[in-house]
Amino acid sequence: MKMYAVLVTYNKHLSDCSSFCSALKEPDVQLLVVDNSTDESIHNQEEARQAGAWFLSMNGNQGLSKAYNAAFDYLKTTTGDWVVLLDDDTQIPDQYWMQLRKETPNAVLLPVVRTMKGEMISPAEMKHDIPRSVVSPNTISDITGINSGMAVPKQLTDTYRYNEQLFLDFIDHQFIKDLKQNGVDIRILPAELVQSFSADGLDKQSALKRLEIQKKDLYTYYAANPWKAWYLIMKRKIRLAVQLRKPEVLLHG
């Protein structure tokens, strides 16, 4: 079996990415690092080369959708079974790779992804086109999920692309929706990953900047139903106001 792992990184040294170290340990996994970094002090290209990974610079932060599409284009002339999408803040256990090797590449596979607190964030239930967390993946009727750990059959990456009108948020939900509309099966991979969220530690200025990106993406995704975007943005504002202890966040934008 031949697998490719795509790691998109942003202003982070590769040696600090647990998913980078995990993929390098696997002899049948070719790692492709796609660097969206804007910090000129970070030199990931040499570190990737020394580790035997392929490297693709986006020459600045072009957005996650464009980074994944650039990776798919880069891999188009290769052959293999799986393309695995990795975040730079996800812990990938050995069980994940062992389980994936048992699978036939005829469906997109979503592992169970939990937060550091043990809460399951993927896969999720898509209800009225809004992703909802569930307690157990066995209860899901309309599946969606996040990019982290998603395994896509290599042949699908030759034809399907992420929607580049979305910069960061909901690119995974749109991608999965597009796949399902074209009859692609989405299944659950019996393996668990743990993801930490760098956004949880943002200061007020950085958090509001991140909120603006989310706002633009949500209104793009819900162009036909903008009230859904408003609803999700308000939920995010309330969470930020509590997290930062800054009630004025509710008045932003």
Side-chain angles (χ1 to χ4, degrees):
M1 178 167 285
K2 179 64 177 178
M3 296 181 281
Y4 301 93
V6 175
L7 171 61
V8 178
T9 185
Y10 174 69
N11 289 348
K12 194 171 185 179
H13 293 282
L14 291 177
S15 55
D16 295 330
C17 303
S18 58
S19 50
F20 175 75
C21 301
S22 172
L24 288 178
K25 292 190 304 181
E26 307 302 321
D28 52 356
V29 176
Q30 174 60 56
L31 179 60
L32 169 60
V33 175
V34 185
D35 200 338
N36 256 340
S37 295
T38 56
D39 187 342
E40 295 182 358
S41 67
I42 295 178
H43 305 287
N44 283 328
Q45 184 170 5
E46 182 59 23
E47 188 173 356
R49 186 190 65 79
Q50 291 180 357
W54 297 338
F55 183 85
L56 179 61
S57 174
M58 296 299 291
N59 298 310
N61 189 6
Q62 304 298 320
L64 192 56
S65 55
K66 287 186 178 181
Y68 280 138
N69 285 345
F72 289 172
D73 289 340
Y74 189 95
L75 295 173
K76 200 164 187 178
T77 58
T78 65
T79 58
D81 300 287
W82 293 104
V83 175
V84 174
L85 307 181
L86 302 178
D87 284 351
D88 61 12
D89 53 5
T90 306
Q91 299 173 20
I92 314 291
D94 294 341
Q95 174 208 11
Y96 173 87
W97 302 108
M98 293 172 60
Q99 189 61 46
L100 187 55
R101 291 185 182 97
K102 300 177 183 178
E103 302 289 338
T104 301
N106 57 8
V108 172
L109 302 180
L110 299 174
V112 172
V113 183
R114 298 187 184 276
T115 66
M116 300 291 285
K117 296 179 180 179
E119 300 168 348
M120 190 176 79
I121 54 175
S122 183
E125 174 85 30
M126 189 61 91
K127 192 171 184 179
H128 305 299
D129 206 23
I130 296 178
R132 309 277 188 176
S133 297
V134 295
V135 176
S136 169
N138 298 326
T139 64
I140 297 174
S141 58
D142 189 3
I143 193 170
T144 188
I146 63 175
N147 291 310
S148 186
M150 184 192 301
V152 184
K154 172 63 176 62
Q155 60 181 358
L156 291 181
T157 67
D158 294 337
T159 53
Y160 286 91
R161 290 295 180 269
Y162 280 84
N163 183 349
E164 294 185 0
Q165 290 184 315
L166 300 170
F167 187 83
L168 178 61
D169 290 288
F170 273 54
I171 72 164
D172 32 27
H173 301 306
Q174 182 66 62
F175 184 63
I176 291 172
K177 181 193 290 189
D178 292 343
L179 291 170
K180 290 194 296 185
Q181 287 176 345
N182 284 278
V184 177
D185 193 18
I186 313 294
R187 297 205 302 263
I188 297 171
L189 179 71
E192 291 198 7
L193 314 183
V194 176
Q195 181 162 336
S196 59
F197 288 93
S198 55
D200 288 343
L202 294 178
D203 56 32
K204 178 183 174 182
Q205 182 178 359
S206 299
L208 291 179
K209 183 178 180 180
R210 177 70 182 82
L211 182 64
E212 284 302 312
I213 295 173
Q214 186 176 46
K215 181 178 178 181
K216 183 177 183 298
D217 281 343
L218 287 178
Y219 275 108
T220 298
Y221 182 88
Y222 291 114
N225 296 285
W227 68 268
K228 293 182 180 181
W230 179 89
Y231 166 74
L232 291 173
I233 291 164
M234 282 304 301
K235 284 184 64 177
R236 178 60 178 163
K237 283 184 177 181
I238 292 170
R239 195 179 308 122
L240 280 176
V242 173
Q243 178 184 326
L244 299 172
R245 298 181 180 178
K246 302 283 187 182
E248 62 268 26
V249 168
L250 297 173
L251 302 177
H252 180 76

